[in-house]
């Protein structure tokens, strides 16, 4: 699965739960729930950084009043997990009897995207 979005603050390893957007023509910084997609002119923040953000002098901060919750897993993550489980559950082809190794070579590892299934050794 893909790793969750991280806080944009330098050196912060926490998971992002809020999005910061600057509205320059109104001199306003808006901190709201995490946006569905990362966009070029927004910043993802963890909860401590979202709660403690200050704006430049003369600017206003509009902050989400509710709880910041981590985002649910994306469908891409769930699909990748389901495909990995399906791939691992596929039956392994039976081994040939002794002496017939050249007829059916050893099973190979399967690869789908960033996941790899390794057949069990007998």
């Amino acid at each position: 699965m893909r790793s969750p979005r991280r806080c944009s603050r330098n050196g912060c390893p926490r998971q992002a739960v809020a999005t910061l957007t600057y509205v320059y023509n109104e001199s306003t910084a808006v901190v709201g729930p995490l946006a569905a997609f990362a966009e070029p002119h927004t910043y993802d923040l963890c909860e401590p950084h979202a709660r403690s953000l200050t704006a430049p002098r003369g600017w206003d901060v509009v902050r989400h009043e509710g709880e910041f919750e981590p985002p649910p897993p994306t469908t891409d993550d769930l699909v990748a997990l389901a495909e990995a489980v399906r791939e691992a559950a596929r039956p392994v082809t039976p081994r040939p009897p002794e002496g017939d190794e050249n007829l059916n070579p050893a099973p190979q590892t399967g690869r789908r995207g960033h996941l790899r299934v390794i057949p069990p050794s007998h």
Side-chain angles (χ1 to χ4, degrees):
M1 289 197 283
R2 281 184 292 167
S3 62
R5 286 165 40 191
R6 299 283 177 208
C7 182
S8 297
R9 296 290 299 260
N10 286 337
C12 182
R14 294 185 204 99
Q15 180 179 5
V17 295
T19 297
L20 166 64
T21 306
Y22 289 109
V23 183
Y24 292 99
N25 60 349
E26 295 180 17
S27 299
T28 304
V30 180
V31 180
L34 188 65
F37 301 100
E39 298 192 20
H41 300 291
T42 62
Y43 303 91
D44 294 337
L45 299 174
C46 63
E47 187 162 3
H49 285 126
R51 298 253 181 244
S52 65
L53 177 90
T54 59
R57 189 177 314 167
W59 282 56
D60 295 318
V61 177
V62 176
R63 197 181 318 269
H64 174 72
E65 292 295 323
E67 293 294 317
F68 290 112
E69 297 182 18
T74 65
T75 49
D76 292 343
D77 293 341
L78 296 174
V79 169
L81 181 60
E83 287 178 359
V85 170
R86 277 189 221 112
E87 183 97 16
R90 287 191 181 139
V92 178
T93 56
R95 296 186 76 181
E98 293 298 320
D100 290 341
E101 289 86 15
N102 294 333
L103 296 177
N104 192 4
Q108 297 183 359
T109 59
R111 188 156 180 87
R112 176 172 285 172
H114 62 285
L115 302 173
R116 184 171 59 167
V117 177
I118 300 173
S121 58
H122 294 278

